[in-house]
Amino acid sequence: DEPTRPLPLAHHTAVIERGPFTLEGDLALFKRHRVTRLVCKNAGGDGARAKLDAAHQLGVPVVMIERPPLPARREVHGVDDVLAWLDHATDRGV
């Protein structure tokens, strides 16, 4: 999404695109913008695979921000357990 206010960076270019992304497209983007560092979050899944592969191929260092740990929560593993949990008037953490 477009930033809602100016970014607090003196020299930057915001590239707003939606995936799926390709290795070829990310290689071209890195070269066009002369990317020298990649900072990204670990969002899980393989949506960032192309940019990570592009960085690796071009020798660009990567800083990966880990996901925060999930808070403690109750887990249920079956429909009957879910229905029983929903019937209780307890704090469900949502």
Side-chain angles (χ1 to χ4, degrees):
D1 297 332
E2 290 284 339
T4 57
R5 59 181 183 246
L7 298 176
L9 304 168
H11 305 287
H12 70 279
T13 301
V15 178
I16 313 301
E17 296 181 6
R18 296 243 185 252
F21 300 103
T22 65
L23 174 59
E24 296 77 19
D26 282 346
L27 283 168
L29 180 74
F30 278 41
K31 290 174 184 176
R32 182 170 57 251
H33 292 282
R34 296 186 214 144
V35 172
T36 59
R37 304 282 186 279
L38 175 64
V39 178
C40 55
K41 66 179 182 184
N42 180 358
D46 60 358
R49 182 85 256 157
K51 71 180 162 192
L52 294 172
D53 290 343
H56 177 73
Q57 188 169 325
L58 296 172
V60 171
V62 175
V63 175
M64 180 71 68
I65 308 299
E66 284 296 326
R67 299 172 77 168
L70 291 173
R73 66 206 180 282
R74 182 175 177 180
E75 294 183 23
V76 293
H77 302 281
V79 174
D80 290 338
D81 294 336
V82 171
L83 293 173
W85 175 65
L86 291 174
D87 275 344
H88 290 95
T90 60
D91 178 15
R92 296 183 184 95
V94 292

